[in-house]
Amino acid sequence: LELTNGQYTITDDKHRVDIDFIVDALDTTYWAKGRKREIIEQSIRNSELLSVFNTGKQIGFARIVSDYATFAWICDVYLVPDERGKGLGRWLMACIQEHPSTQVGLQLLATRDAHWLYEKFGFQRRECMYKRR
Ligand SMILES: CC(C)(COP(=O)(O)OP(=O)(O)OC[C@H]1O[C@@H](n2cnc3c(N)ncnc32)[C@H](O)[C@@H]1OP(=O)(O)O)[C@@H](O)C(=O)NCCC(=O)NCCS
């Protein structure tokens, strides 16, 4: 999958990913602060990654963990602050919805403050259970 809109490109080609960018970006988030580089690399190896580029420079990404049959988990959705509020999040989410990994019965995600983005794509709020290691 690769889509272009003017200077912006979204691709699921992992060979093009800027891993330094992702490590630094995740460290600024509330959900992945301090996540180690080896863990990030392994998580990317074992899931789908959509990368967002502005004229060749990576500015965002999202990950999808899918069994390609029954469910998919959308996570690590991120855009650099300068590029927020321009519709790129919506475009990224639309690309996620087109991706083969999300053509499954159930999609799940968790968010603290971006419900507004996912509700536009039909996601509903539900309680769930979780366990931390
Ligand atoms: C969440 C995030 C990916 C959204 O991307 P974005 O490019 O800022 O969002 P968009 O500009 O595409 O906005 C999508 C829609 O939500 C609306 N919106 C934008 N910010 C909003 C806000 N704070 N509250 C409510 N609605 C908002 C926009 O108006 C737009 O609506 P429209 O398409 O009907 O006009 C981005 O803000 C981000 O990286 N945030 C920090 C990381 C994060 O919180 N990730 C999500 C964790 S699950």
Side-chain angles (χ1 to χ4, degrees):
L1 178 136
E2 177 152 334
L3 290 153
T4 297
N5 185 353
Q7 75 220 68
Y8 296 102
T9 300
I10 295 181
T11 178
D12 65 357
D13 182 357
K14 289 184 193 173
H15 295 106
R16 293 177 55 191
V17 60
D18 180 348
I19 193 74
D20 293 332
F21 167 77
I22 294 189
V23 171
D24 290 347
L26 284 176
D27 201 44
T28 71
T29 67
Y30 69 84
W31 70 87
K33 187 151 217 36
R35 190 181 292 173
K36 291 188 169 52
R37 187 186 185 91
E38 309 83 76
I39 298 285
I40 292 169
E41 286 174 348
Q42 186 154 12
S43 73
I44 291 170
R45 273 197 295 278
N46 292 315
S47 61
E48 302 298 335
L49 180 74
L50 296 193
S51 296
V52 189
F53 296 92
N54 178 350
T55 50
K57 188 180 187 307
Q58 187 153 9
I59 57 155
F61 52 87
R63 244 165 19 89
I64 308 155
V65 183
S66 175
D67 70 358
Y68 280 83
T70 65
F71 95 104
W73 177 265
I74 297 167
C75 56
D76 295 345
V77 179
Y78 177 90
L79 288 166
V80 292
D82 281 0
E83 302 278 9
R84 291 176 198 167
K86 301 179 185 177
L88 288 169
R90 195 175 178 128
W91 186 38
L92 177 58
M93 192 58 190
C95 290
I96 292 171
Q97 295 304 294
E98 292 291 309
H99 196 267
S101 61
T102 59
Q103 311 312 304
V104 293
L106 179 68
Q107 293 179 61
L108 301 166
L109 60 83
T111 184
R112 197 163 76 186
D113 49 21
H115 302 91
W116 44 271
L117 175 61
Y118 306 110
E119 281 171 343
K120 289 181 193 295
F121 289 87
F123 282 75
Q124 297 176 10
R125 299 184 196 215
R126 277 281 161 80
E127 230 179 279
C128 70
M129 297 185 73
Y130 68 92
K131 178 183 174 181
R132 293 217 183 264
R133 192 175 184 187

